[in-house]
Amino acid sequence: HGSNIMYADKVCLEPDSASAAEIIYLLLNLMEAEITPQIASCLFTGVTTDTGCMRFSNTTARTFEIAAELAKLGADTYNIIQTFFETKTKTFAALERLALDSMRFYFSDRCALICVTQDMYAKSGSDESEVDRLSNLPRQIEGVLVGVTMRELKDGNFKASVRTHGDINASAICKRLGGGGHAGAAGCTLYGTKQQAINTLLKEVQAEIDAFIID
């Protein structure tokens, strides 16, 4: 992530890459390494999941070109797309229903927020391994510019995933809260009670919306 400056004295960014899998593909080509069908499938999985199956704004013409090359090299494209984008477990379906019931709207419906609690895991039979698939759910609502998915951790604190449209910068929102990520998708950790965590995040969301929206 371009917002992460803590892990090295010098940082080399590849801003045109939608995923780490794209970068690995480019490196393998530079090394003239063989890309087997198994490797192609792994890289295709990385490209498609990081771009929401080519739906996110980080998708470029090169992303499509790399995906096509991986398909030619034997990536199991059909089963990968079916598994990650067309299949739900029963426990996830139950969690998704509870998450939708928890959705609340703020700032003239420009922000949609869902909060997944430990109680929801217990009721649905799901767990944290499935919650990432909910991250884009709030942003899919018409008119929403900022979609927030919060999930309660076992220690009582919360992880937040922020997804945005247009000029609203998810990374800027999360960076002010000690997190970071991409312009359209970022995350952070929030401390305190559920309501305290929501209030803290909404304050930064409002600041970012107000910077770009004039009623």
Side-chain angles (χ1 to χ4, degrees):
H1 297 155
S3 62
N4 188 345
I5 58 173
M6 299 180 290
Y7 59 85
D9 292 332
K10 294 183 179 180
V11 180
C12 180
L13 300 177
E14 174 57 42
D16 294 328
S17 290
S19 66
E22 281 192 33
I23 298 173
I24 295 171
Y25 171 82
L26 296 172
L27 287 173
L28 290 175
N29 276 342
L30 287 173
M31 294 165 60
E32 298 183 352
E34 178 187 7
I35 298 180
T36 65
Q38 183 179 14
I39 293 172
S41 291
C42 291
L43 294 176
F44 187 83
T45 299
V47 170
T48 52
T49 54
D50 271 5
T51 59
C53 207
M54 312 301 183
R55 293 180 292 115
F56 298 163
S57 60
N58 59 347
T59 307
T60 65
R62 191 180 73 179
T63 307
F64 284 104
E65 292 168 0
I66 290 175
E69 287 301 316
L70 293 171
K72 292 177 184 177
L73 291 167
D76 189 2
T77 57
Y78 175 80
N79 283 318
I80 290 168
I81 291 173
Q82 283 293 112
T83 299
F84 286 96
F85 300 100
E86 299 294 334
T87 305
K88 297 179 183 179
T89 64
K90 291 180 180 178
T91 54
F92 175 79
L95 181 65
E96 186 178 38
R97 177 178 59 80
L98 293 171
L100 281 170
D101 287 342
S102 79
M103 187 178 292
R104 299 292 181 269
F105 294 88
Y106 304 90
F107 316 127
S108 301
D109 295 342
R110 289 170 177 146
C111 173
L113 183 148
I114 61 177
C115 186
V116 178
T117 63
Q118 291 292 321
D119 183 58
M120 289 182 186
Y121 293 141
K123 288 180 178 178
S124 64
S126 185
D127 56 37
E128 289 192 11
S129 68
E130 296 189 305
V131 75
D132 282 347
R133 294 186 66 179
L134 294 173
S135 296
N136 293 300
L137 193 61
R139 187 176 60 173
Q140 293 173 357
I141 306 299
E142 183 179 9
V144 168
L145 298 178
V146 181
V148 178
T149 301
M150 291 174 50
R151 63 180 186 267
E152 184 181 15
L153 305 175
K154 291 181 179 179
D155 63 6
N157 295 312
F158 293 83
K159 292 280 286 187
S161 296
V162 180
R163 303 289 185 266
T164 58
H165 284 302
D167 293 327
I168 308 298
N169 192 318
S171 182
I173 293 170
C174 292
K175 189 173 183 179
R176 294 195 291 268
L177 296 170
H182 301 288
C188 61
T189 301
L190 302 164
Y191 303 95
T193 66
K194 174 183 173 181
Q195 195 57 54
Q196 287 171 336
I198 290 173
N199 291 344
T200 297
L201 184 55
L202 287 180
K203 180 180 178 181
E204 300 303 332
V205 170
Q206 183 176 27
E208 196 65 20
I209 289 177
D210 289 347
F212 291 95
I213 303 297
I214 300 176
D215 288 314

